DNA sequence: TCCGATGATTTTCG
DNA sequence: CGAAAATCATCGGA
């Protein structure tokens, strides 16, 4: 939920530094008015404060981002805001005095706010997918590459953009700060001799400090990416597509590479995720077929209805009298399914069917007939717990197939008529 | 907070 | 190497 705020805590942790620049303006004048202040002291204070804020940032990182903490119940308090605000508490005043005239030019504060705003874009997963029609159309456009799956890519792009801009700003700030210190040194060199060695050493120290800040940035970025890639359940539509394929290929649920790619496209997931899903599904289905019986029936019906509506559309298309009577499932999700192909190829031969007008029972009934030889439909449909003879992929352990309830009557109780055939 | 579901990873196997 | 099996870790609903 607050992944994005969380992924920011690293960045926000660096806000301890940014906090320093809101010091009172008087201090600036004071420090400017006293250039004779010992530069060594200043530097020491710089070191101290930088260390402190980094440590605090680090501590906060660990505290808030330990992976054990990533799970569910997040309370949506602004991680980022808190992170930016706390570190400033213990700032040694002297540090502010010495660099306050410099800090206001450092864009850290604004950077942080900007980064926050960018990244705190909420995870827009489902939540309100009210219109299935839109989802279907979106899916089609997605599949055809007309539109892109925004979520992951966009967020990754955000992270990349923030990382680069932050990095650039840090570098700029580093050189500005170096210049500032050089100027201070130069001013002091009027009152006391300063060796070039000393200057060099200071510059080196400053650079080291800034590079450790950069490391923080990198670490935060890594964490952000990890959070982004964190496991998430697939959306309903994706599982539907996958299930449709699975149950309509129940006798051989091993999609080819091309099929996997297509499924991946449809579901807006990767091919390896498709492989994972099928791996998990096969093993879990096999382990407890009974548990999946209802689901199998459901998708068998769904496939049949889908196919029927498609063929209905096709037949309507041939009929000038009924040009377009708004059939709901206009984009078939199962056109790779055997059942669908079987139906479609046979569709032309059934002129008087008008399947859309038939009740589902009749449709399924007809479908099982028509797809004779496409055992997927019959296999996945309805109380075939013993399952078809050619489902060799699940024949390993007979004991596992034992504890399926083997329902004598269908759980959904839809059209038991089909069994008698 | 518990617990089943589920996506991912690791190990084993052919 | 791909799939099965075991296991881990998170999600998400009750």
């Amino acid at each position: 939920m607050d992944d994005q705020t969380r992924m920011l805590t690293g960045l926000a942790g660096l806000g301890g530094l940014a906090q320093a620049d809101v010091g009172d303006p008087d201090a600036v004048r004071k420090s400017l008015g006293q250039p004779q202040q010992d530069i060594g002291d200043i530097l020491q204070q710089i070191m101290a404060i930088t260390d402190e804020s980094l440590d605090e940032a680090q501590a906060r990182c660990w505290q808030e981002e330990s992976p054990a903490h990533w799970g569910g119940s997040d309370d949506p308090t602004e991680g980022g805001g808190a992170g930016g605000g706390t570190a400033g508490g213990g700032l040694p005043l002297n540090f502010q005095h010495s660099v306050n005239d410099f800090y206001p030019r450092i864009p850290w504060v604004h950077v942080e706010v900007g980064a926050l705003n960018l990244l705190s874009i909420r995870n827009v997963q489902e939540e309100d997918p009210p219109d299935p029609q839109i989802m279907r159309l979106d899916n089609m456009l997605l599949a055809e590459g007309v539109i892109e799956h925004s979520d992951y890519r966009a967020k990754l792009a955000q992270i990349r953009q923030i990382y680069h801009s932050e990095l650039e700003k840090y570098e700029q700030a580093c050189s500005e700060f170096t210049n500032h210190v050089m100027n201070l040194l130069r001013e002091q060199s009027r009152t006391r001799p300063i060796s070039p060695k000393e200057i060099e050493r200071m510059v080196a120290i400053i650079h080291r400090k800034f590079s450790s800040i950069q490391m923080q940035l990198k670490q935060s970025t890594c964490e952000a990416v990890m959070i982004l890639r964190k496991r998430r359940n697939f959306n309903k539509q994706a599982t539907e597509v996958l299930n449709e394929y699975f149950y309509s290929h129940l006798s051989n649920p091993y999609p080819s590479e091309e099929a996997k790619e297509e499924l991946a496209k449809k579901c807006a997931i990767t091919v390896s995720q498709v492989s994972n899903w099928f791996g998990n599904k096969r093993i879990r289905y096999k382990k407890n077929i009974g548990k999946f019986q209802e689901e199998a029936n459901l998708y068998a019906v769904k496939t049949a209805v889908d196919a029927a509506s498609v063929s209905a559309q096709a037949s309507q298309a041939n009929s000038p009298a009924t040009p377009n009577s708004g059939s709901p499932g206009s984009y078939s999700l199962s056109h790779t399914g055997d059942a669908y192909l079987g139906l479609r190829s046979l569709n032309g031969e059934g002129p008087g069917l008008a399947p859309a007008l038939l009740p589902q029972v009749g449709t399924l009934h007809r479908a099982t007939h028509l797809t004779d030889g496409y055992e997927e439909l019959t296999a996945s449909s309805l109380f075939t717990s013993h399952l078809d003879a050619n489902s060799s992929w699940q024949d390993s352990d007979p004991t596992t197939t034992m504890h399926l309830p083997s329902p004598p009557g269908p759980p959904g109780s839809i059209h038991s008529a089909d069994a008698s055939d």
Side-chain angles (χ1 to χ4, degrees):
Chain A
M1 178 92 65
D2 59 341
D3 290 349
Q4 276 70 30
T5 51
R6 211 163 270 189
M7 73 170 77
L8 271 181
T9 46
L11 281 178
L14 301 175
L17 290 174
Q19 192 68 12
D21 70 340
V22 248
D24 63 299
D26 290 342
V28 180
R29 280 186 287 276
K30 270 184 217 159
S31 78
L32 283 179
Q34 299 172 340
Q36 61 270 45
Q37 184 182 1
D38 185 17
I39 193 75
D41 281 352
I42 294 177
L43 197 58
Q44 276 197 335
Q45 283 156 8
I46 290 173
M47 302 297 293
I49 181 56
T50 316
D51 277 339
E52 184 172 329
S53 61
L54 280 179
D55 288 348
E56 284 187 15
Q58 188 84 31
R60 207 171 25 256
C61 271
W62 283 115
Q63 174 194 336
E64 293 187 11
E65 306 207 28
S66 71
H69 222 81
W70 283 0
S73 62
D74 308 321
D75 91 81
T77 52
E78 287 310 280
T86 47
L91 293 184
L93 279 180
N94 284 342
F95 173 67
Q96 294 185 13
H97 290 188
S98 62
V99 293
N100 253 330
D101 58 326
F102 160 70
Y103 261 124
R105 277 176 281 140
I106 299 186
W108 275 335
V109 168
H110 314 286
V111 165
E112 265 188 26
V113 172
L116 249 179
N117 287 341
L118 266 179
L119 277 185
S120 65
I121 291 170
R122 293 295 174 197
N123 179 7
V124 231
Q125 265 233 324
E126 36 221 313
E127 222 50 276
D128 47 0
D131 195 343
Q133 180 74 6
I134 285 183
M135 285 178 65
R136 246 172 202 276
L137 293 171
D138 272 351
N139 208 34
M140 178 185 171
L141 295 175
L142 215 59
E144 303 304 328
V146 178
I147 59 177
E148 286 215 273
H149 187 58
S150 54
D151 238 33
Y152 182 84
R153 247 173 244 242
K155 282 173 185 165
L156 199 63
Q158 281 177 12
I159 290 173
R160 185 170 40 228
Q161 188 210 329
I162 288 172
Y163 172 78
H164 285 300
S165 72
E166 293 289 284
L167 195 63
E168 195 181 322
K169 279 159 187 166
Y170 285 153
E171 273 160 8
Q172 189 191 341
C174 177
S175 70
E176 278 184 38
F177 187 53
T178 307
N179 282 341
H180 173 72
V181 170
M182 298 277 269
N183 285 339
L184 274 184
L185 286 171
R186 221 168 286 134
E187 272 186 69
Q188 288 210 352
S189 71
R190 276 188 244 131
T191 58
R192 71 175 177 97
I194 295 179
S195 71
K197 257 263 162 63
E198 195 179 340
I199 297 177
E200 225 175 86
R201 200 167 52 83
M202 289 229 190
V203 170
I205 289 170
I206 292 169
H207 281 191
R208 220 177 311 140
K209 278 299 153 191
F210 271 87
S211 78
S212 86
I213 291 172
Q214 281 188 13
M215 203 188 67
Q216 288 275 307
L217 172 66
K218 286 177 183 178
Q219 187 182 334
S220 301
T221 307
C222 286
E223 282 161 1
V225 171
M226 282 179 66
I227 290 169
L228 184 65
R229 300 181 66 176
K230 181 172 65 169
R231 188 207 139 198
R232 232 169 256 155
N233 285 359
F234 299 157
N235 62 37
K236 215 174 161 190
Q237 198 183 11
T239 43
E240 223 162 83
V241 170
L242 294 166
N243 271 316
E244 250 171 68
Y245 188 98
F246 181 81
Y247 286 111
S248 64
H249 296 72
L250 199 52
S251 68
N252 186 35
Y254 297 85
S256 65
E257 272 311 301
E258 299 87 60
K260 279 182 193 171
E261 273 168 35
E262 189 171 347
L263 286 168
K265 232 178 176 183
K266 273 182 190 165
C267 304
I269 58 179
T270 68
V271 172
S272 64
Q273 281 178 305
V274 173
S275 298
N276 285 342
W277 190 91
F278 273 88
N280 284 325
K281 190 71 182 183
R282 280 192 300 262
I283 204 77
R284 282 159 187 167
Y285 179 86
K286 178 157 74 168
K287 262 188 177 168
N288 192 353
I289 295 177
K291 199 175 72 183
F292 290 92
Q293 203 57 37
E294 203 169 339
E295 192 179 73
N297 295 345
L298 194 114
Y299 279 98
V301 172
K302 193 195 280 280
T303 303
V305 169
D306 219 27
S309 90
V310 167
S311 58
Q313 226 189 5
S315 63
Q316 278 175 5
N318 291 338
S319 150
T322 57
N324 192 4
S325 44
S327 60
S330 32
Y331 183 65
S332 166
L333 294 170
S334 59
H335 63 272
T336 52
D338 297 349
Y340 168 76
L341 290 177
L343 265 183
R344 189 163 69 170
S345 63
L346 289 167
N347 178 45
E349 300 156 21
L353 276 185
L357 302 177
L358 295 173
Q360 291 184 0
V361 179
T363 304
L364 179 60
H365 196 85
R366 215 168 280 269
T368 50
H369 270 295
L370 290 174
T371 56
D372 197 352
Y374 293 92
E375 79 294 335
E376 283 78 10
L377 241 185
T378 46
S380 59
S381 74
L382 318 181
F383 23 96
T384 43
S385 38
H386 53 288
L387 282 170
D388 42 329
N390 53 352
S391 60
S392 55
W393 64 279
Q394 42 176 338
D395 58 4
S396 59
D397 188 0
T399 61
T400 55
T401 49
M402 285 311 290
H403 43 72
L404 54 102
S406 83
S413 79
I414 347 169
H415 30 260
S416 43
D418 261 320
S420 60
D421 229 336

